[in-house]
Amino acid sequence: KARVKADWLVPLPDGLTTRQAMAVGTAGFTAMLAVMALEDHGLAPGSGEVLVTGAAGGVGSVAPAILANLGYDAVGLAGGPGRPATVIPFLLRGVNLLGIDSVMQPYENRVRAWERIGHDLPMDKLEAMIRPATLAELPQLGADILKGQVKGRVVVDVVG
């Protein structure tokens, strides 16, 4: 059981199960917020390829699925977070760097993002990423995660 502030909660979108919402998690929610931010800055399908860095990570593994489903040409870059470079070439070319704060989003944005997830994230792709686990598996699972041996989304059944 958890106690949270009521205004932190948003309704579960139609067609999205609680299992799927848990698989989306914070990373998938952040991916949707990133797509929304790109669109708010004028990105539209057909504008050219969209580069998703960290495509093997939590946010990056969901973003290409959403973008491709919406008609974008999305490519992934699986690499580390370090980029030894300057931002000057980006600034000179008018490139926007958008930071996504998934924690302090206004209620309306959170509702809109979850509605978009329910509509724009292909559930078959999400389902293919899900690995079910039990509470008893958590110690080994934690060790495996730290070793980089777990792929996809782990959904823990706290009842079974």
Side-chain angles (χ1 to χ4, degrees):
K1 295 184 180 182
R3 181 177 176 192
V4 298
K5 294 180 181 181
D7 61 347
W8 288 3
L9 304 175
V10 296
L12 186 68
D14 291 337
L16 193 67
T17 67
T18 54
R19 177 179 180 269
Q20 291 167 330
M22 291 302 96
V24 168
T26 303
F29 175 68
T30 304
M32 188 72 247
L33 290 172
V35 170
M36 290 167 44
L38 290 169
E39 291 174 342
D40 290 347
H41 278 80
L43 186 69
S47 300
E49 290 184 330
V50 178
L51 175 66
V52 178
T53 61
V59 175
S61 64
V62 176
I66 294 170
L67 290 164
N69 190 52
L70 292 171
Y72 291 93
D73 292 321
V75 295
L77 173 62
R83 298 283 176 257
T86 176
V87 297
I88 299 300
F90 294 105
L91 297 174
L92 294 176
R93 290 174 179 85
V95 174
N96 293 301
L97 299 176
L98 306 173
I100 304 300
D101 180 358
S102 63
V103 177
M104 300 307 291
Q105 285 291 313
Y107 178 80
E108 295 77 24
N109 283 1
R110 289 183 283 130
V111 170
R112 186 168 65 110
W114 277 106
E115 288 292 332
R116 294 275 313 264
I117 288 167
H119 182 265
D120 296 336
L121 175 62
M123 289 302 131
D124 59 330
K125 291 196 185 325
L126 178 66
E127 288 292 338
M129 290 187 238
I130 296 175
R131 177 199 186 278
T134 64
L135 285 174
E137 294 175 85
L138 288 183
Q140 183 60 51
L141 188 59
D144 292 345
I145 289 171
L146 291 174
K147 293 178 193 169
Q149 297 174 337
V150 176
K151 293 181 181 175
R153 316 305 255 187
V154 176
V155 176
V156 179
D157 180 358
V158 297
V159 179

